[in-house]
Amino acid sequence: MTNQEIINETIEYFKENFSGEGTGHDWFHIQRVWKLSKNIAKKEGDLDMFVVEMGALLHDIADHKFHDGDENIGTEKAAEYLSKYNIEEMPKNKIVEIVKEISFKGMRVPTKMSTKEGEVVQDADRLDAIGAIGVARTFAYGGSKNREIYNPLVKPVCHTSFAAYKVSTAPTINHFYEKLLTLKDRMNTNTGKKEAIRRHEFMESFLQNFYQDWEGSL
Ligand code: ADP
Ligand code: NI
């Protein structure tokens, strides 16, 4: 099987298994991250595109948030998925490593990627968490977990450990302060950073409007 055939089959697998998911981790999220990753990679140059594309397609194969907090589930499922193909150790390990390292784990918790390919995919995933789509996904996720939209009595928290970040059940607006607004300063690539600034500005404007509307004044 050629690398392109593996990519095509993987696209079909995720279309089939992740369509219609309602928390913002659906096939279309995967597709956006895949497209963004390819576009960022083209600008950053000299990368293993098979690793970039497969890392992007597999990055949300099994998230701890939907598997009782199991932090190893993504790595296991990605390795299991790839084992059905005859792929050399080097690209295979790099792809699994992307799935293992990609997630945000709290404001004060470093999430360094081991490869340049991983940096690209992490930037793409984070770009899809901010801006207009980021706002939509965040409230979809909050609703799916029965969270309040906003509660002025519950203040945002600066998480210093993944354990503390993981168990938070705060209102959805808090997620902007606990994660989304911090992402633009955590981008890996220059291409990602530039695009993050545009999307960040939209979120700032969204929040400003939100508080204005909240007050009920005209
Ligand atoms: P990563 O993409 O770094 O692995 P997640 O999968 O946790 O991070 O986050 C992806 C998106 O899911 C977030 O950007 C947000 O839209 C939504 N999300 C995750 N956790 C929360 C939360 N506590 N409240 C609201 N939305 C969340
Ligand atoms: Ni993702």
Side-chain angles (χ1 to χ4, degrees):
M1 226 174 175
T2 65
N3 282 353
Q4 193 54 54
E5 282 166 346
I6 295 174
I7 289 170
N8 292 345
E9 205 172 276
T10 302
I11 291 170
E12 289 312 313
Y13 174 85
F14 280 93
K15 248 187 217 168
E16 215 163 277
N17 291 285
F18 285 72
S19 287
E21 196 271 356
T23 74
H25 294 76
D26 58 330
W27 157 246
F28 289 123
H29 162 65
I30 296 165
Q31 187 183 49
R32 288 190 301 271
V33 171
W34 171 59
K35 285 183 184 171
L36 267 172
S37 297
K38 284 194 291 181
N39 288 336
I40 296 170
K42 260 185 236 155
K43 296 209 180 215
E44 294 293 315
D46 203 25
L47 296 173
D48 184 335
M49 288 309 286
F50 181 63
V51 172
V52 169
E53 291 196 52
M54 289 299 283
L57 290 168
L58 261 67
H59 86 275
D60 269 337
I61 190 164
D63 193 301
H64 65 87
K65 291 191 294 306
F66 310 117
H67 292 87
D68 296 326
D70 181 350
E71 289 168 30
N72 297 319
I73 189 89
T75 316
E76 285 164 19
K77 293 280 178 199
E80 186 188 316
Y81 179 86
L82 294 171
S83 69
K84 64 182 178 183
Y85 299 113
N86 190 13
I87 306 174
E88 279 177 40
E89 283 306 300
M90 195 51 170
K92 188 158 45 181
N93 293 344
K94 281 186 174 181
I95 297 163
V96 173
E97 201 170 51
I98 290 177
V99 180
K100 182 179 179 182
E101 296 176 336
I102 193 166
S103 271
F104 185 83
K105 298 183 173 67
M107 202 193 291
R108 290 281 153 79
V109 188
T111 46
K112 193 167 164 23
M113 301 303 281
S114 305
T115 61
K116 185 82 187 157
E117 287 80 6
E119 290 186 342
V120 166
V121 179
Q122 187 181 57
D123 276 6
D125 192 29
R126 290 182 169 178
L127 285 173
D128 206 55
I130 60 178
I133 286 179
V135 171
R137 291 182 68 216
T138 301
F139 287 101
Y141 182 90
S144 80
K145 297 274 183 188
N146 260 327
R147 308 265 170 86
E148 287 177 298
I149 292 173
Y150 175 48
N151 184 337
L153 301 176
V154 185
K155 301 293 174 212
V157 174
C158 169
H159 296 110
T160 53
S161 79
F162 188 25
Y165 173 74
K166 229 166 47 166
V167 297
S168 164
T169 57
T172 301
I173 284 283
N174 293 23
H175 196 63
F176 286 82
Y177 301 97
E178 292 170 356
K179 173 184 177 186
L180 307 182
L181 293 169
T182 72
L183 292 182
K184 85 165 167 36
D185 294 326
R186 293 180 67 157
M187 301 303 283
N188 306 303
T189 66
N190 285 333
T191 314
K193 205 165 284 179
K194 219 167 119 197
E195 178 60 15
I197 291 169
R198 183 183 76 80
R199 298 185 188 214
H200 182 92
E201 280 167 8
F202 175 82
M203 287 195 298
E204 293 277 20
S205 151
F206 167 79
L207 288 169
Q208 201 184 339
N209 275 271
F210 186 96
Y211 297 122
Q212 193 180 338
D213 298 355
W214 186 266
E215 292 308 322
S217 43
L218 300 172

